[in-house]
């Protein structure tokens, strides 16, 4: 964005929201800039040990989360059922031979011809669930489970599982055969506004991971004003953690590796509990 356009935007915000509203917007932008991306933190922790492993990116969108791992030589399996997002993903990952893209959605069941919803508000809210008034049933997709996928590929190892399925993160986890494969690190999203209608909450998701033997860190973001716009980050916390706002959302970083957990704590500037 050019300087003239930035100044024009600033005056527009000032006119619409007044001085207090303008300052609040500036503060939100500053806070967002101070937040280290959760995926970036996980990548840095793996890189600190010169580690090359296997990643599953469930809900890969345009592939920005997986690209650092692909560049580092990781084997990456990416799932993206939205054909528009998948076209960007394929274009962004085409130079990385270790990336394989699957067009199925991932859940806790194997099904065919399931409605898939998209919204003009944001390309990032495509989902098996219509949680926004603007959602439209745009496609039908097939679903698989991670257990079935691993059996198809003969995989017995998973180092990093990243999940961003706009509400179905717990279902993805439930579709994993934990007695066969237990990821070293998991990144998944929570937002009760999406998941309560699906039968679970932030605490349900976090407790599920704890019950599987994971340490859990919470990256809490303030309530979403509008999808597709810049959001405001609150901070990192160790779980158990009570959200500051019942409408908050964010990501859980989970690991069953004590050394990785200590590194994550240092990266997030937290103390063990």
């Amino acid at each position: 964005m050019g300087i003239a356009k930035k100044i024009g935007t600033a005056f527009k915000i000032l006119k619409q929201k007044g001085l207090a509203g303008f300052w609040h917007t500036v503060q939100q932008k500053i806070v967002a800039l101070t937040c280290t991306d959760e995926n970036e933190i996980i990548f840095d922790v793996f890189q600190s040990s010169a580690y090359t492993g296997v990643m599953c990116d469930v809900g890969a969108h345009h592939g920005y989360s997986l690209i650092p791992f692909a560049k580092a030589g990781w084997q990456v399996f990416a799932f993206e059922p939205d054909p528009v997002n998948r076209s960007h993903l394929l274009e962004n990952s085409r130079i990385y031979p270790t990336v394989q893209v699957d067009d199925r959605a991932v859940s806790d069941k194997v099904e065919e011809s399931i409605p898939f919803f998209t919204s003009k508000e944001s390309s990032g809210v495509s989902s098996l669930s219509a949680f926004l008034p603007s959602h439209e049933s745009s496609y039908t997709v097939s679903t698989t489970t991670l257990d079935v996928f691993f059996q198809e590929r003969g995989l017995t190892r998973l180092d990093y599982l990243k999940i961003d399925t706009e509400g179905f993160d717990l279902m993805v986890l439930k579709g994993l055969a934990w007695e066969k494969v237990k990821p070293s690190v998991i990144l998944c999203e929570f937002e009760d506004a999406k998941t309560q209608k699906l039968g679970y909450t932030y605490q349900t998701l976090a407790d599920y991971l704890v019950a599987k033997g994971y340490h859990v860190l919470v990256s809490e973001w303030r309530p979403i004003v509008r999808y597709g716009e810049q959001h405001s980050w609150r901070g990192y916390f160790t779980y158990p953690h009570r959200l500051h706002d019942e409408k908050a959302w964010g990501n859980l970083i989970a690991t069953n590796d004590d050394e990785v957990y200590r590194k994550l704590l240092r990266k997030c500037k937290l103390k063990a509990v």
Side-chain angles (χ1 to χ4, degrees), residues 13 19 83 86-87 113 143 146 183-184 189 207 225 232 235 242 246-247:
I13 294 171
L19 185 59
R86 190 168 62 252
S87 66
S113 300
T143 65
L146 288 178
S184 174
E189 186 184 61
D207 286 347
V225 176
S232 177
R242 183 174 180 177
E246 63 179 12
K247 295 182 179 180

Side-chain angles (χ1 to χ4, degrees), residues 54-118:
V54 179
M55 173 189 187
C56 270
D57 190 344
V58 182
H61 195 234
H62 296 169
Y64 300 122
S65 293
L66 65 83
I67 285 174
F69 294 88
K71 283 182 177 179
W74 281 54
Q75 178 70 59
V76 180
F77 299 98
F79 295 86
E80 181 48 65
D82 184 319
V84 177
N85 288 338
R86 190 168 62 252
S87 66
H88 292 289
L89 168 62
L90 289 167
E91 176 61 26
N92 291 336
S93 64
R94 63 185 175 82
I95 63 172
Y96 304 110
T98 61
V99 177
Q100 298 181 41
V101 177
D102 196 302
D103 64 2
R104 291 173 290 183
V106 180
S107 186
D108 56 348
K109 299 176 183 177
V110 176
E111 297 181 295
E112 301 290 336
S113 300
I114 303 301
F116 192 76
F117 302 91
T118 63

Side-chain angles (χ1 to χ4, degrees), residues 18-205:
L19 185 59
F22 174 78
W23 177 237
H24 176 68
T25 300
V26 170
Q27 286 178 312
Q28 285 187 319
K29 296 288 185 182
I30 292 171
V31 170
L33 288 172
T34 63
C35 170
T36 302
D37 178 79
E38 298 95 339
N39 187 75
E40 181 182 329
I41 282 178
I42 293 168
F43 176 73
D44 288 346
V45 167
F46 278 120
Q47 283 296 96
S48 69
S49 301
Y51 195 85
T52 302
V54 179
M55 173 189 187
C56 270
D57 190 344
V58 182
H61 195 234
H62 296 169
Y64 300 122
S65 293
L66 65 83
I67 285 174
F69 294 88
K71 283 182 177 179
W74 281 54
Q75 178 70 59
V76 180
F77 299 98
F79 295 86
E80 181 48 65
D82 184 319
V84 177
N85 288 338
R86 190 168 62 252
S87 66
H88 292 289
L89 168 62
L90 289 167
E91 176 61 26
N92 291 336
S93 64
R94 63 185 175 82
I95 63 172
Y96 304 110
T98 61
V99 177
Q100 298 181 41
V101 177
D102 196 302
D103 64 2
R104 291 173 290 183
V106 180
S107 186
D108 56 348
K109 299 176 183 177
V110 176
E111 297 181 295
E112 301 290 336
S113 300
I114 303 301
F116 192 76
F117 302 91
T118 63
S119 168
K120 293 180 181 178
E121 287 188 43
S122 171
S123 65
V125 294
S126 300
S127 176
L128 291 168
S129 172
F131 57 84
L132 293 174
S134 60
H135 266 129
E136 298 178 348
S137 180
S138 303
Y139 317 103
T140 59
V141 300
S142 299
T143 65
T144 188
T145 67
L146 288 178
D147 182 35
V148 168
F149 178 75
F150 290 163
Q151 290 182 54
E152 291 171 351
R153 296 303 181 101
L155 296 174
T156 58
R157 167 188 171 190
L158 180 58
D159 301 284
Y160 176 33
L161 173 59
K162 175 250 168 184
I163 313 172
D164 187 358
T165 56
E166 302 304 308
F168 276 72
D169 295 40
L170 180 59
M171 290 70 159
V172 173
L173 291 170
K174 286 185 174 181
L176 184 64
W178 292 92
E179 72 280 2
K180 300 176 186 175
V181 178
K182 215 165 184 182
S184 174
V185 177
I186 298 171
L187 176 67
C188 56
E189 186 184 61
F190 67 86
E191 186 181 356
D192 285 358
K194 297 174 185 173
T195 63
Q196 282 181 324
K197 63 182 67 176
L198 298 174
Y200 76 95
T201 65
Y202 148 74
Q203 186 173 344
T204 311
L205 182 62

Side-chain angles (χ1 to χ4, degrees), residues 220-239:
E220 182 182 342
W221 290 69
R222 292 179 175 84
I224 290 174
V225 176
R226 182 177 174 83
Y227 290 97
E229 296 184 355
Q230 179 67 59
H231 307 308
S232 177
W233 182 67
R234 186 179 291 276
Y236 288 112
F237 308 91
T238 53
Y239 189 79

